[in-house]
């Protein structure tokens, strides 16, 4: 009984020195001394160098917040933060680590004013198909695919594969299929 | 002069009514956390009331279901003027995860809040952090000053 009382008094004294109420205006999450290592997912940030515009983030987005619009030779990736649920799957799926979630969580703002502040945008250049002239894939994505394929191949096949890719990566999928015999990139030549 | 005193008093001690309009209840839990000692909203003179007729600020959470839509409209009409509406969470703002992938309207929803009543402050997040909700309430007070 007495030991219990002593423990209670000790806890009471301790409690009077513990931080209880969070300050306002709020301290940024990473600067709080008593909550170390907590992961907070806030506003998105595209890495302009790394993002290739492949659209993997759009395919996994569970709330449909990420949209991709191609207009001419520009592809725009747009994240609507008012639809986003901050699950972080877009960051996890990104093959190039081009999308990060910052710890900025205070997104409240007057409704209807400066709508663009609740949108995160990133635009990449598309390349033209040499055959039909239509826009195909982002330039950076083609480079990334080339690097990734060549690094996974055996050394014996790297030369022929890189020669083939030099030719057919310039074409859109439809042209690749129809021109594969004339370009000499048909897989049957390997048998 | 009396009106001025009233206006000042209203801004220094606004009362909140919390309307839950469907959804997963997570925003409501975060809103309850705002009034707990950790993120104390009551230290700013703000109180949570259980009657819309007492309230100055109306906080709406959740996508508005068809069942609740008429009640929500009635609640909005019951709040005395001047009033400020805070849409809390991505469901209340755009429908969030309750939107269909193919773009057609969800059969259970009467749309996000903006289809039914005018919104003044938006608090995005799923759920919004308590800090974010407090920011939203502070912005609502700015709006209340102007009205």
């Amino acid at each position: 009984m007495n030991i219990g009382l002593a423990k209670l008094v000790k806890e009471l004294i301790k409690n009077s020195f513990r931080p209880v109420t969070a300050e306002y205006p709020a301290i940024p999450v990473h600067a709080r001394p008593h909550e170390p290592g907590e992961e907070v997912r806030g506003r998105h940030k595209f890495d302009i160098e790394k993002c290739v515009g492949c659209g993997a983030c759009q395919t996994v987005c569970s709330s449909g917040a990420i949209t991709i619009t191609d207009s001419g030779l520009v592809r725009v990736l747009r994240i609507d933060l008012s639809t986003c649920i901050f699950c972080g799957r877009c960051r996890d799926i990104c093959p190039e680590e081009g999308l990060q979630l910052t710890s900025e969580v205070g997104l409240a703002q007057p409704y209807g004013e400066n709508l663009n502040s609740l949108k995160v945008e990133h635009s990449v250049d598309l390349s033209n198909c040499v055959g039909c002239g239509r826009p195909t894939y982002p330039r950076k994505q083609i480079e990334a695919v080339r690097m990734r394929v060549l690094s996974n191949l055996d050394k014996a096949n790297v030369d022929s594969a890189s020669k083939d890719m030099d030719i057919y990566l310039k074409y859109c999928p439809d042209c690749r299929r129809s021109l594969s015999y004339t370009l000499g990139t048909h897989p049957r030549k390997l048998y | 002069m009396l009106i001025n005193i009233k206006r000042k008093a209203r801004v220094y001690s606004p009362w909140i009514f919390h309307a839950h309009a469907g959804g997963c209840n997570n925003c409501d839990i975060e809103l309850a956390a705002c009034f707990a000692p950790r993120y104390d909203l009551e230290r700013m003179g703000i109180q949570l009331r259980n009657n819309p007729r007492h309230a100055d600020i109306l906080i709406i959470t959740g996508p508005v279901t068809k069942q609740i839509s008429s009640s929500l409209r009635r609640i909005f009409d019951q709040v005395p003027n001047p009033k400020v509406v805070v849409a809390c969470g991505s469901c209340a703002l755009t429908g969030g995860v309750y939107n269909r992938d193919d773009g057609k309207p969800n059969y259970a929803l009467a749309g996000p809040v903006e289809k039914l009543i005018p919104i003044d402050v938006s608090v995005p997040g799923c759920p919004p952090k308590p800090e974010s909700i407090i920011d939203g309430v502070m912005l609502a007070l700015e709006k209340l000053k102007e009205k």
Side-chain angles (χ1 to χ4, degrees):
Chain A
M1 166 70 193
N2 279 337
I3 297 168
L5 197 67
K7 274 187 178 173
L8 181 69
V9 171
K10 193 182 164 190
E11 201 64 21
L12 279 174
I13 294 166
K14 260 190 182 176
N15 263 350
S16 55
F17 292 105
R18 271 182 197 149
V20 177
T21 306
E23 284 179 32
Y24 187 85
I27 308 168
V29 176
H30 55 269
R32 281 183 207 152
H34 48 280
E35 287 175 16
E38 190 194 353
E39 196 215 353
V40 172
R41 299 187 295 266
R43 180 189 283 275
H44 301 249
K45 194 185 176 192
F46 280 106
D47 195 326
I48 298 167
E49 303 274 308
K50 286 180 181 168
C51 176
V52 296
C54 60
C57 43
Q58 188 218 13
T59 58
V60 295
C61 185
S62 48
S63 61
I66 303 179
T67 52
I68 290 179
T69 46
D70 292 357
S71 57
L73 283 177
V74 181
R75 168 175 285 187
V76 181
L77 300 116
R78 189 177 288 114
I79 304 179
D80 186 5
L81 294 182
S82 56
T83 312
C84 178
I85 62 168
F86 302 98
C87 56
R89 283 171 78 194
C90 47
R91 174 197 56 190
D92 294 345
I93 202 77
C94 185
E96 303 290 324
E97 298 177 356
L99 183 59
Q100 292 297 328
L101 300 184
T102 58
S103 61
E104 185 193 340
V105 290
L107 299 170
Q109 61 167 304
Y111 187 79
E113 297 169 22
N114 49 13
L115 287 169
N116 285 325
S117 66
L118 280 184
K119 290 198 168 63
V120 180
E121 285 188 349
H122 180 54
S123 56
V124 287
D125 290 341
L126 294 174
S127 67
N128 268 332
C129 170
V130 179
C132 59
R134 283 182 299 184
T136 54
Y137 298 113
R139 286 174 210 279
K140 280 185 174 178
Q141 189 189 351
I142 292 172
E143 288 305 310
V145 166
R146 185 203 296 273
M147 293 287 290
R148 199 155 289 205
V149 170
L150 292 182
S151 65
N152 287 333
L153 280 176
D154 294 337
K155 275 185 184 175
N157 298 326
V158 167
D159 278 347
S160 64
S162 67
K163 268 180 197 169
D164 275 4
M165 281 208 277
D166 280 338
I167 301 167
Y168 72 70
L169 282 180
K170 294 173 187 167
Y171 293 89
C172 66
D174 291 342
C175 290
R176 257 180 236 171
R177 201 175 297 120
S178 57
L179 296 174
S180 58
Y181 275 115
T182 48
L183 296 174
T185 54
H186 197 280
R188 190 172 290 168
K189 74 173 182 177
L190 300 173
Y191 305 136
Chain B
M1 195 191 122
L2 204 66
I3 292 169
N4 280 337
I5 291 171
K6 232 176 147 183
R7 188 174 290 163
K8 206 168 184 182
R10 189 181 292 124
V11 172
Y12 276 92
S13 175
W15 287 356
I16 287 178
F17 181 73
H18 165 211
H20 170 60
C24 71
N25 250 355
N26 209 337
C27 296
D28 312 285
I29 293 166
E30 296 294 318
L31 193 62
C34 282
F35 289 92
R38 185 74 179 84
Y39 304 95
D40 206 357
L41 256 182
E42 287 188 3
R43 71 185 140 155
M44 292 146 189
I46 299 163
Q47 245 189 333
L48 195 63
R49 305 302 291 186
N50 54 8
N51 192 341
R53 290 175 203 273
H54 297 168
D56 302 300
I57 299 173
L58 179 63
I59 296 187
I60 301 171
T61 58
V64 185
T65 57
K66 277 188 181 159
Q67 286 273 353
I68 204 88
S69 60
S70 57
S71 309
L72 186 69
R73 181 72 222 185
R74 206 171 143 208
I75 287 168
F76 176 74
D77 291 338
Q78 279 175 344
V79 178
N81 278 321
K83 55 193 162 193
V84 178
V85 179
V86 179
C88 179
S90 52
C91 293
L93 287 169
T94 58
V97 286
Y98 294 94
N99 284 331
R100 283 175 56 156
D101 285 344
D102 52 9
K104 287 176 190 165
N106 190 333
Y107 68 90
L109 298 186
V113 177
E114 64 173 341
K115 275 190 189 171
L116 297 162
I117 54 180
I119 305 174
D120 292 306
V121 177
S122 64
V123 183
C126 184
K129 288 229 147 211
E131 296 99 324
S132 192
I133 296 177
I134 296 171
D135 280 349
V137 172
M138 289 296 133
L139 285 171
L141 290 188
E142 295 288 319
K143 289 255 174 182
L144 201 61
K145 264 181 208 169
E146 294 163 13
K147 285 191 179 182

